[in-house]
Amino acid sequence: MTIVKSLLSRRAFTALAGAAVIATAMPVTSFAADVTIPIIVKDTTSFYWQIVLAGARKAGKDLGVNVPELGAQAESDINGQISILENAVAGKPAAVVISPTEFKALGKPIDEAAKSVPIIGIDSAADSKAFSSFLTTDNVQGGRIAADGLAAAIKEMTGKEEGEIVILTNLPGVGSLEQRREGFLDQIKTKHPGLKVIADKYGDGQATTGLNMMTDLITANPKLVGVFASNLILAQGVGQAIAENKLGDKIKVIGFDSDDKTVGFLKDGAIAGLVVQDPYRMGYDGIKTALAVSKGEKVEANVDTGANLVTKANMADPKIDALLNPKIK
């Protein structure tokens, strides 16, 4: 079984994807300005990160800043991201915007980089106090939102907040994912004690692994009523497993982030809800903040960019629709 990569045509990404899928990129557009602020994401091939890059690209155009779009081709390529950061800093930019792939491993490289240029963090934390500013979803709160959404979906299905559930995390040691896990587990324990977590598993960064993990869990746990898949890649795999086994009316799934594939699962009932961030804002405001820091302006140390639970019932609301269908050009 294989996972079909999400079609990007809905947001006109076919042409943009090729420009982003590079480990050492050049600016997409040339500017007269002499200010360069690279943005380094975890995975240039992922739809989520392409939305981040689109936001950064738009900020570069609006502000007259060169914005090289950098990143490895897999979130698991930690050493690749470290090398990209080192190379970016060697180019003496005005600042660097980065989403660290792994909390511990990126700590010292970011400390070292910050000795030369201001570093703005987005999305995921690192073991460093050298960030000039950090823009992210409150991922602990995102986990709580997921727990509440899963409890509500299970109650709607069974009439009570009871039953066996699992949590699946894409990779170990990733700051944002660990925070979502923490928030989810704490909220289940304190607010929804009738739900019993029977499995707490990690993947390897591949959607096919999420599919296989979910298939095995379905077979081994006939009383399973709920799943939290804490990032887009896992939500793709889990959603496909639920769809293939036609279990949308027996097992409720809450995913994190969205693309055409997971939104399709939401419409079809294979997924009950998606916790959606604002990656476009992260990219745009990341560059905007980096430019301000490079000019010596005062900025907020921490900025919460927000998260919302999307369900089939609210997905047509203008605010939610804007998050599901960001304007990317």
Side-chain angles (χ1 to χ4, degrees), residues 251-270:
I251 300 176
K252 295 303 177 182
V253 177
I254 301 295
F256 217 100
D257 296 324
S258 68
D259 67 351
D260 286 345
K261 191 175 187 68
T262 53
V263 170
F265 287 143
L266 184 64
K267 291 177 180 178
D268 296 341

Side-chain angles (χ1 to χ4, degrees), residues 53-196:
L53 292 175
R57 188 181 311 128
K58 182 61 164 61
K61 291 178 180 178
D62 289 350
L63 301 171
V65 174
N66 293 301
V67 181
E69 299 172 14
L70 312 177
Q73 294 189 36
E75 292 194 19
S76 57
D77 189 2
I78 298 168
N79 290 332
Q81 192 186 54
I82 292 172
S83 296
I84 291 167
L85 173 61
E86 292 171 347
N87 290 335
V89 172
K92 298 181 179 180
V96 171
V97 178
I98 185 171
S99 178
T101 53
E102 204 275 336
F103 182 80
K104 289 290 185 183
L106 269 291
K108 288 185 179 179
I110 287 172
D111 284 343
E112 191 64 28
K115 294 176 182 178
S116 302
V117 299
I119 303 295
I120 306 300
I122 59 171
D123 186 77
S124 295
D127 190 13
S128 172
K129 299 185 184 302
F131 292 110
S132 298
S133 182
F134 190 72
L135 299 86
T136 186
T137 303
D138 182 340
N139 282 291
V140 174
Q141 179 62 15
R144 294 191 185 110
I145 291 171
D148 291 342
L150 185 59
I154 291 170
K155 185 175 182 179
E156 182 179 357
M157 175 178 65
T158 66
K160 53 189 177 181
E161 288 186 6
E162 295 180 6
E164 298 179 351
I165 64 173
V166 299
I167 177 171
L168 304 179
T169 303
N170 192 41
L171 288 165
V174 179
S176 58
L177 301 185
E178 294 296 346
Q179 290 164 2
R180 292 171 198 171
R181 175 180 173 275
E182 172 193 338
F184 179 84
L185 293 174
D186 180 68
Q187 192 78 344
I188 290 294
K189 180 179 178 181
T190 59
K191 300 294 184 181
H192 311 289
L195 298 176
K196 181 181 178 182

Side-chain angles (χ1 to χ4, degrees), residues 9-34:
S9 58
R10 175 162 61 102
R11 300 176 179 92
F13 257 115
T14 302
L16 298 178
V21 182
I22 44 179
T24 53
M26 292 299 290
V28 174
T29 306
S30 297
F31 297 92
D34 59 0

Side-chain angles (χ1 to χ4, degrees), residues 10-11 258 263 267 276-277 308-311 314-327:
R10 175 162 61 102
R11 300 176 179 92
S258 68
V263 170
K267 291 177 180 178
V276 177
Q277 308 178 79
N308 295 270
L309 179 66
V310 179
T311 65
N314 73 0
M315 63 189 302
D317 291 352
K319 177 183 176 182
I320 300 300
D321 182 68
L323 294 173
L324 293 177
N325 300 287
K327 294 180 180 180

